[in-house]
Amino acid sequence: MAARAIVVLVSLVLAVVAGGASAQLSSGFYSRSCPGMLKAVRSALHPAITRERRVGASIVRLFFHDCFVQGCDASLLLDDAPGLRGEKNAAPNKNSVRGFEVIDAIKAAVEKECPGVVSCADVLAVAAEESVVFLGGPSWEVKMGRRDSTTASFTGAENNIPPPTSGLANLTSLFAAQGLCQKDMVALSGAHTIGLARCTNFRDHIYNDTNIDDGFARSRQSGCPRTAGFGDNNLAPLDLQTPTVFENNYYKNLVQKRALLHSDQELLNGGAADALVRQYVGSQSSFFKDFVVGMVKMGDIGPLTGSSGQIRKNCRRIN
């Protein structure tokens, strides 16, 4: 009984500490120290998405993969270095996450505007919101004031990020571990309305699953050979209809059993998330509202604030 009391007490303390850190974030954090920050971000980001609209999806994914590993601290952006094993080569990220050079360009533009002021973690958070808006999605006030980590967690990247083979229970559990409820998970999964996925991540679904439209499966099989090691990096759109526009067609695909990933179709497969998926099918505004709530909550995961961490000059390495 005493041991249980200690566990509860530690959990409460950790919750208070985490809550205190996120409470230090604010949308006006740089209003005086770097008033031109947003303009600088847009000056580098918007041309990049115009050249390749997939970049917007890639930036959103970077933010997600960063926040799920020791919080939104830009640890994902760190390259491997002597004494530091980064997260880029962990299984969910290797040959998969991309857009680092765009973040580099954004950071350079922001540094030119106000050197040593804006963290890479905040650059990534703002770039994710700007990407969603640029591709037609909702906007929100991004809370800022995060600082950058001086560490990374390869193990965290291996274990915390939901794989595309996940069932509903595993998805729900991994999001819950980050303080996000099942509703947040279903709404945030809607980010798959933009972007592409590699054959290696959807091969099993299109060849072995039964909860998939036959015609859709055959069409994806034409670009993704059954045998592993062949065509692994061949790409297909996560949203069959409009992969470069942020809207609710992703959920409509689930109703038609045309999800590219096993984990996506799990959201509408006779389980607890079915009703919410159907709600988003019928109401894009409802999806947008819940997506914004989820993104703000995700941005609050474990930020470094105050004197913790640092403001990196180069997002790829510690100062």
Side-chain angles (χ1 to χ4, degrees):
M1 196 70 176
R4 183 180 178 185
I6 291 172
V7 170
V8 171
L9 178 59
V10 170
S11 298
L12 287 171
V13 169
L14 289 175
V16 169
V17 171
S22 63
Q24 294 180 46
L25 305 181
S26 69
S27 59
F29 189 83
Y30 299 112
S31 59
R32 292 187 178 181
S33 59
C34 191
M37 184 269 294
L38 185 56
K39 183 178 179 181
V41 170
R42 290 171 174 168
S43 73
L45 176 64
H46 289 184
I49 301 178
T50 299
R51 287 191 298 270
E52 184 196 11
R53 291 178 71 85
R54 182 189 175 198
V55 163
S58 300
I59 297 298
V60 174
R61 188 161 180 254
L62 281 179
F63 184 57
F64 165 49
H65 281 220
D66 180 51
C67 290
F68 265 52
V69 181
Q70 65 180 36
C72 306
D73 61 358
S75 59
L76 175 58
L77 305 183
L78 289 169
D79 289 339
D80 288 348
L84 190 150
R85 189 182 192 185
E87 299 164 13
K88 293 179 179 179
N89 288 313
N93 297 329
K94 189 175 183 179
N95 299 321
S96 181
V97 290
R98 60 194 298 275
F100 297 108
E101 72 288 344
V102 178
I103 297 299
D104 291 341
I106 297 170
K107 175 64 171 174
V110 172
E111 282 293 301
K112 185 176 180 180
E113 181 72 21
C114 39
V117 173
V118 181
S119 67
C120 297
D122 280 344
V123 163
L124 183 54
V126 173
E129 189 269 348
E130 283 290 317
S131 295
V132 169
V133 173
F134 194 87
L135 296 175
S139 64
W140 62 94
E141 286 195 350
V142 179
K143 292 193 284 184
M144 291 170 278
R146 302 169 190 82
R147 290 170 63 84
D148 300 321
S149 69
T150 56
T151 63
S153 177
F154 182 90
T155 302
E158 288 271 309
N159 296 326
N160 297 359
I161 299 167
T165 54
S166 294
L168 183 62
N170 191 46
L171 289 169
T172 302
S173 175
L174 287 171
F175 273 74
Q178 303 297 333
L180 299 168
C181 66
Q182 188 175 75
K183 185 176 185 178
D184 298 324
M185 182 272 290
V186 176
L188 290 171
S189 296
H192 284 177
T193 190
I194 52 176
L196 307 173
R198 297 185 301 146
C199 166
T200 188
N201 287 327
F202 60 82
R203 175 182 282 123
D204 191 59
H205 180 51
I206 63 174
Y207 282 104
N208 300 321
D209 283 350
T210 57
N211 60 339
I212 185 171
D213 176 79
D214 287 341
F216 173 70
R218 286 194 299 271
S219 71
R220 297 300 85 174
Q221 289 167 8
S222 66
C224 181
R226 181 188 291 270
T227 305
F230 293 88
D232 286 0
N233 293 321
N234 292 354
L235 299 171
L238 286 161
D239 177 350
L240 179 66
Q241 303 177 64
T242 51
T244 61
V245 180
F246 197 102
E247 22 70 323
N248 67 337
N249 278 342
Y250 163 82
Y251 299 103
K252 296 177 182 178
N253 294 331
L254 302 188
V255 173
Q256 298 169 348
K257 295 186 177 180
R258 293 182 176 182
L260 186 63
L261 303 180
H262 172 87
S263 55
D264 283 339
Q265 193 59 61
E266 281 290 297
L267 303 187
L268 186 68
N269 196 32
D274 285 16
L276 189 56
V277 169
R278 295 189 184 281
Q279 178 182 325
Y280 294 159
V281 169
S283 174
Q284 180 168 281
S285 62
S286 179
F287 160 48
F288 279 9
K289 176 178 173 292
D290 291 346
F291 179 81
V292 164
V293 170
M295 287 296 284
V296 172
K297 287 177 67 175
M298 187 166 71
D300 282 345
I301 298 174
L304 298 173
T305 58
S307 59
S308 299
Q310 62 181 210
I311 305 297
R312 284 186 221 141
K313 298 175 183 178
N314 182 325
C315 293
R316 294 175 180 263
R317 57 178 180 265
I318 61 177
N319 296 339

